[in-house]
Amino acid sequence: MGWFFLVLVVVVPLVLWGIVDPKGSWRALESWKYKNPDANEPSEASYALSRVGGVIGLVLLIGMGVMAYNDSRDDEAPRDKPSASYTQAEMKSKDLDLGAGTLVGYRYPSALTLDVVYLDDDGLAYPEPSCDVDVTVYEHTNAIVVQVTQSAHALYWTGDPEPDLARACDGQRKTPHTVNWTLQEPLGDRPILTAAPLADPRAAGTALATGPARPLDEVPEPGVKEQLKPVRIDPAWKLVPLLAATQDEEK
């Protein structure tokens, strides 16, 4: 705003001069334009109007100067720190590992494909905590190991009480879901084992297979594959049951 104050320093004295002594101001600033200044000097009425215009202009300049000064002070004033209510408006996340999830069984539709069936919830519970189930299949030379884990995650305002993730994800899961997993080698006689609890297939709307799986032939994709290694089998691991084929698989 320095340039504006510089203009005021130059303009205001000229306006004051025109108000106090309009005739002297005209003679100093305008008369030189005329060959015969006396013949072209303004009338007394013109000088009076010039005084009125000068007063109005001076008032406007003073008002603009005051506003510019206030604006410059606002820009230089230190910013206030965020209030407590603003701080509370931030989001915070919380995670909890809930251990093993519930497994139902598996299907073996083709030589290199496993369909693992597990229990989970439907839909999102927002703004309540969300419960996630992850299924991972580990392939070894002597066994297939299925890991099912549960975890809970919540986003909440920092001003709210922390959510009870353990209570929100109480394990009451009833909806079957399927995850497809591709094997490097055909299953053969390798057992499918898990440390996760097993649910009654009938409670998941399915049934155990009444005979051995009849997978379709499948050609492995070309490329370099990770070398399989044996795994030390824990006696506590359970056999994952083979489930009855779906109608699409039976066709």
Side-chain angles (χ1 to χ4, degrees):
M1 292 295 176
W3 62 270
F4 182 77
F5 292 110
L6 180 62
V7 171
L8 288 181
V9 170
V10 175
V11 174
V12 170
L14 294 177
V15 174
L16 286 173
W17 187 12
I19 295 172
V20 175
D21 185 14
K23 183 177 294 187
S25 174
W26 184 87
R27 287 189 175 278
L29 301 177
E30 298 290 336
S31 62
W32 61 271
K33 298 178 182 179
Y34 304 101
K35 186 174 182 180
N36 188 356
D38 293 335
N40 292 277
E41 183 177 355
S43 64
E44 293 298 327
S46 177
Y47 283 136
L49 288 176
S50 177
R51 284 193 177 95
V52 173
V55 171
I56 295 174
L58 182 62
V59 171
L60 291 176
L61 285 173
I62 293 174
M64 294 174 62
V66 171
M67 290 190 298
Y69 176 72
N70 291 335
D71 289 341
S72 65
R73 289 192 61 186
D74 291 340
D75 292 338
E76 295 173 359
R79 301 297 179 184
D80 294 334
K81 295 183 179 179
S83 62
S85 60
Y86 177 82
T87 303
Q88 291 178 353
E90 297 177 352
M91 294 294 289
K92 188 176 180 181
S93 63
K94 184 177 181 181
D95 298 276
L96 178 66
D97 182 5
L98 297 174
T102 303
L103 191 62
V104 178
Y106 77 96
R107 296 186 179 96
Y108 188 36
S110 61
L112 297 176
T113 302
L114 280 182
D115 290 345
V116 179
V117 182
Y118 62 98
L119 296 183
D120 199 356
D121 292 332
D122 281 332
L124 297 175
Y126 186 82
E128 297 298 325
S130 62
C131 304
D132 302 319
V133 176
D134 293 319
V135 178
T136 308
V137 176
Y138 298 95
E139 185 175 0
H140 302 277
T141 56
N142 59 333
I144 306 293
V145 180
V146 181
Q147 183 183 54
V148 186
T149 59
Q150 293 184 112
S151 61
H153 176 75
L155 285 174
Y156 61 99
W157 300 109
T158 54
D160 296 338
E162 290 194 5
D164 186 353
L165 299 185
R167 182 180 62 83
C169 305
D170 56 8
Q172 301 300 318
R173 305 174 185 278
K174 300 179 181 180
T175 306
H177 292 260
T178 301
V179 61
N180 305 107
W181 203 273
T182 301
L183 301 175
Q184 287 189 209
E185 303 291 342
L187 181 59
D189 59 356
R190 291 179 293 176
I192 300 180
L193 305 172
T194 187
L198 295 173
D200 186 345
R202 292 173 297 182
T206 184
L208 295 175
T210 56
R214 296 193 297 271
L216 299 175
D217 292 335
E218 190 173 1
V219 178
E221 294 184 1
V224 179
K225 297 181 175 61
E226 182 179 356
Q227 184 178 1
L228 300 179
K229 299 179 181 180
V231 62
R232 185 176 63 84
I233 297 177
D234 190 324
W237 290 349
K238 301 174 287 289
L239 278 171
V240 179
L242 175 65
L243 303 177
T246 62
Q247 293 181 355
D248 292 338
E249 294 172 358
E250 291 174 350
K251 293 179 180 180

